[in-house]
Amino acid sequence: MKKLLAVCAALCPLALSLVFLGGCALYGNDRSRVGTMGVCEEGDSVYFSLPFAGGEVTLAFDRAENTLSLAENNVECEPVSERVLWGDTFPRGLVEAAEGYEELAGQVEALDTRDEKYLTAFASKTADMVYGFCVIYKNATGFLSGGGQIDAKKVKKSILFSFDREEGELNILSTLENRVAVAFDGENVVYFYKEKYYLGDLSGEKEKYLCDDAAYDKGLTSYSHATFFEGGGWCVLYFHHSVDSKAKSFEKYVITDMGGTFYAEMKVPE
């Protein structure tokens, strides 16, 4: 009994430190998983080829019915944009650039003027235009696995930009305070704010609610995750809600066009 009390006494300060110290969560809700996708059209249907690590998933969106489903036929859509910048400056992270865009990576990292930088970055090229965003965070979350987890709760701002490769010039187009950008086409942006997603524009005057974050975890650990895909004037939001109970776990897909005209969602049991 004395040994049990001694163990409890030793564990209590640690438990309290998890609650009261800044690094109380083991992992954060990372909303920086952004990529490009293939998009193609056939009649009223728009197909989206989503390149996941475990294999490609193709969605079919019926514009006439505003319905979303998994594609029944083998539809191969070519990417409509090229990823030219991605990554982060968190511990164990790295901002990477496609060949010829190394200068862009340096300029984006310089947007965070602190000695210890906490930012994520993404940019894509469509035709001759390059648009992207840099998300700057106050600091990192977590104390295990080396610390340094990306956490949407600690966002400071998102900086939307364009890049002129010939001139080597980065142009800041707008800044979103306390928001995490997840898709940007040069005019409109999809962003995370207080566990929800919105569609906005460069003026900051337009803000349209899209959906709640179906994968947002509030415990010490984060088993769920989200991934975002952009391309061809569209955005797909993917949520994997994962809990101990398989019956309560699910995947959810949300699609929107960047102009805010079309919207549909689909929930799939795990």
Side-chain angles (χ1 to χ4, degrees):
M1 184 64 179
K2 290 182 179 179
K3 289 184 178 180
L4 177 60
L5 291 175
V7 170
C8 290
L11 290 178
C12 282
L14 175 59
L16 289 173
S17 69
L18 298 185
V19 175
F20 294 111
L21 294 181
C24 62
L26 302 182
Y27 301 98
N29 285 281
D30 181 359
R31 294 301 176 259
S32 68
R33 297 184 181 185
V34 182
T36 57
M37 61 183 172
V39 181
C40 53
E41 301 184 23
E42 184 178 312
D44 286 331
S45 296
V46 184
Y47 296 95
F48 307 96
S49 296
L50 312 179
F52 289 100
E56 190 172 274
V57 173
T58 302
L59 304 179
F61 172 59
D62 188 321
R63 283 181 293 198
E65 301 293 333
N66 250 38
T67 56
L68 185 65
S69 62
L70 293 173
E72 296 180 357
N73 303 322
N74 292 325
V75 180
E76 295 184 5
C77 299
E78 295 296 327
V80 292
S81 57
E82 175 191 0
R83 184 182 67 165
V84 298
L85 184 73
W86 64 94
D88 65 85
T89 60
F90 283 69
R92 304 181 312 282
L94 178 67
V95 174
E96 300 183 68
E99 185 177 354
Y101 290 90
E102 295 81 3
E103 186 176 1
L104 172 60
Q107 292 188 42
V108 168
E109 288 193 47
L111 293 175
D112 189 346
T113 58
R114 299 170 297 182
D115 292 336
E116 190 171 6
K117 303 175 186 297
Y118 292 103
L119 66 84
T120 63
F122 178 82
S124 61
K125 174 180 177 290
T126 303
D128 294 326
M129 305 302 295
V130 175
Y131 295 109
F133 47 87
C134 167
V135 185
I136 297 177
Y137 298 80
K138 299 170 187 174
N139 47 43
T141 284
F143 57 90
L144 297 181
S145 301
Q149 307 295 329
I150 301 170
D151 192 347
K153 184 172 62 176
K154 298 200 173 186
V155 63
K156 287 184 64 177
K157 58 186 175 182
S158 289
I159 300 173
L160 311 179
F161 62 81
S162 64
F163 180 69
D164 186 324
R165 183 179 177 184
E166 290 187 4
E167 300 294 330
E169 183 178 355
L170 178 74
N171 302 299
I172 296 177
L173 303 177
S174 185
T175 299
L176 306 174
E177 299 292 340
N178 305 314
R179 286 157 172 78
V180 179
V182 299
F184 177 52
D185 67 354
E187 295 183 6
N188 300 294
V189 55
V190 177
Y191 54 83
F192 169 95
Y193 178 62
K194 293 185 176 180
E195 302 176 30
K196 302 178 187 296
Y197 292 87
Y198 298 87
L199 179 66
D201 61 6
L202 290 178
S203 71
E205 297 177 358
K206 183 178 81 172
E207 184 173 76
K208 179 180 180 180
Y209 166 78
L210 293 175
C211 63
D212 286 8
D213 192 315
Y216 195 86
D217 278 328
K218 297 183 179 180
L220 288 177
T221 58
S222 296
Y223 299 108
S224 303
H225 60 268
T227 308
F228 313 95
F229 302 93
E230 64 170 33
W234 296 87
C235 176
V236 174
L237 300 87
Y238 167 76
F239 304 107
H240 186 171
H241 177 78
S242 180
V243 292
D244 291 336
S245 171
K246 191 173 182 64
K248 295 181 179 180
S249 299
F250 61 85
E251 296 175 296
K252 184 177 181 180
Y253 298 88
V254 173
I255 67 103
T256 182
D257 71 311
M258 297 297 287
T261 302
F262 295 105
Y263 175 92
E265 60 182 57
M266 175 181 63
K267 188 175 178 180
V268 182
E270 190 174 57

